[in-house]
């Protein structure tokens, strides 16, 4: 079942999301530690308007288990989307100005910030089915261009994106990692 995230999903969403953070090798996670950052991110789930707030997370649930998550927002919100987290980080004594310094979305895009499948459900076609459904949901919202970034070395994820119709339109760095910027034309 594809649906909006709920408060009771938080403990299932967090480890799925942390797969992405681990791949990104963000300095603040190394400095502060995963346990403290997990507390910070989980508290952020309940902040309206935050990048990883529950209002920006969709989940795919099978038999009561969250098997995949999608986190996204319109590009025009990117400059302010992390402000709620910064306050939480400062409350925890973390002085970083932001988790993400780099611009990730291009003007006019609806940006899929994070997409991940729980490890025990990977390689079973769930990612592809979830992405196909997600594309329909965003198209039904009236969006024109859906975008995402994928690490140039993440071949399994690229396979899902290409299979579902995404096209590479450029590259950019997020932190120290090079990503392919991909778009899906929702008007077709």
């Amino acid at each position: 079942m594809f649906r909006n995230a709920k408060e009771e999903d938080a403990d299932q969403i967090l480890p799925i999301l942390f797969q992405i953070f681990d791949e990104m090798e963000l300095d603040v996670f190394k400095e502060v530690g995963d346990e403290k950052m997990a507390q910070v991110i989980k508290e952020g789930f309940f902040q309206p308007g935050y990048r990883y707030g529950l209002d920006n997370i969709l989940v795919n649930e099978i038999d009561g288990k969250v098997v995949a998550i999608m986190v996204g927002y319109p590009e025009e919100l990117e400059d302010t989307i992390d402000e709620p987290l910064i306050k939480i980080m400062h409350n925890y004594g973390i002085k970083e100005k932001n988790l993400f310094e780099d611009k990730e979305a291009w003007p006019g895009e609806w940006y899929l910030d994070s997409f991940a499948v729980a490890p025990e459900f990977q390689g079973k076609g769930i990612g592809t089915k979830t992405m196909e459904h997600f594309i329909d949901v965003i198209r039904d919202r009236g969006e024109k261009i859906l975008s995402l970034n994928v690490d140039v070395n993440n071949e399994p994820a690229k396979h899902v994106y290409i299979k579902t119709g995404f096209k590479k339109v450029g590259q950019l760095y997020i932190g120290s990692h090079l990503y392919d910027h991909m778009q899906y034309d929702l008007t077709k």
Side-chain angles (χ1 to χ4, degrees):
M1 174 174 61
F2 198 79
R3 60 173 175 77
N4 292 318
K6 300 184 276 190
E7 286 186 26
E8 55 267 25
D9 298 325
D11 289 332
Q12 292 185 69
I13 293 170
L14 197 60
I16 299 171
L17 185 58
F18 258 73
Q19 293 175 105
I20 297 167
F21 294 147
D22 290 344
E23 289 174 6
M24 293 183 77
E25 301 174 315
L26 299 168
D27 289 337
V28 68
F29 284 75
K30 294 176 195 170
E31 294 163 13
V32 174
D34 282 354
E35 190 173 314
K36 190 176 206 178
M37 286 306 299
Q39 292 172 323
V40 169
I41 298 295
K42 189 173 178 181
E43 195 171 317
F45 285 163
F46 305 101
Q47 301 301 311
Y50 168 51
R51 177 188 307 245
Y52 299 115
L54 292 174
D55 53 339
N56 287 330
I57 301 175
L58 296 172
V59 300
N60 187 355
E61 175 190 346
I62 298 176
D63 297 328
K65 172 111 174 107
V66 174
V67 299
I69 63 167
M70 290 76 42
V71 180
Y73 50 86
E75 174 274 334
E76 60 265 16
L77 300 179
E78 188 172 17
D79 290 340
T80 59
I81 198 122
D82 290 325
E83 288 174 2
L85 184 73
I86 303 311
K87 293 174 186 171
I88 297 169
M89 288 172 52
H90 291 171
N91 289 342
Y92 278 82
I94 303 167
K95 302 298 180 204
E96 301 290 324
K97 291 182 181 174
N98 211 332
L99 276 185
F100 307 103
E101 299 286 328
D102 303 300
K103 182 85 171 140
E104 298 178 34
W106 294 0
E109 297 177 336
W110 199 97
Y111 179 58
L112 178 58
D113 176 274
S114 302
F115 172 65
V117 176
E120 63 269 30
F121 292 94
Q122 293 175 2
K124 299 179 180 183
I126 289 173
T128 300
K129 287 178 185 166
T130 300
M131 182 57 74
E132 289 169 347
H133 191 92
F134 180 74
I135 289 167
D136 289 340
V137 167
I138 300 305
R139 179 184 287 121
D140 290 347
R141 290 182 179 178
E143 300 296 337
K144 305 291 185 233
I145 299 290
L146 174 61
S147 72
L148 56 83
N149 294 307
V150 59
D151 190 299
V152 294
N153 297 315
N154 189 342
E155 292 303 324
K158 277 200 242 182
H159 173 76
V160 168
Y161 303 143
I162 291 168
K163 184 176 181 179
T164 55
F166 281 85
K167 306 263 188 278
K168 178 181 170 183
V169 294
Q171 288 187 318
L172 56 93
Y173 277 93
I174 302 173
S176 62
H177 289 250
L178 182 61
Y179 290 80
D180 287 337
H181 190 75
M182 301 182 83
Q183 291 181 338
Y184 187 101
D185 184 349
L186 296 165
T187 62
K188 294 182 181 181

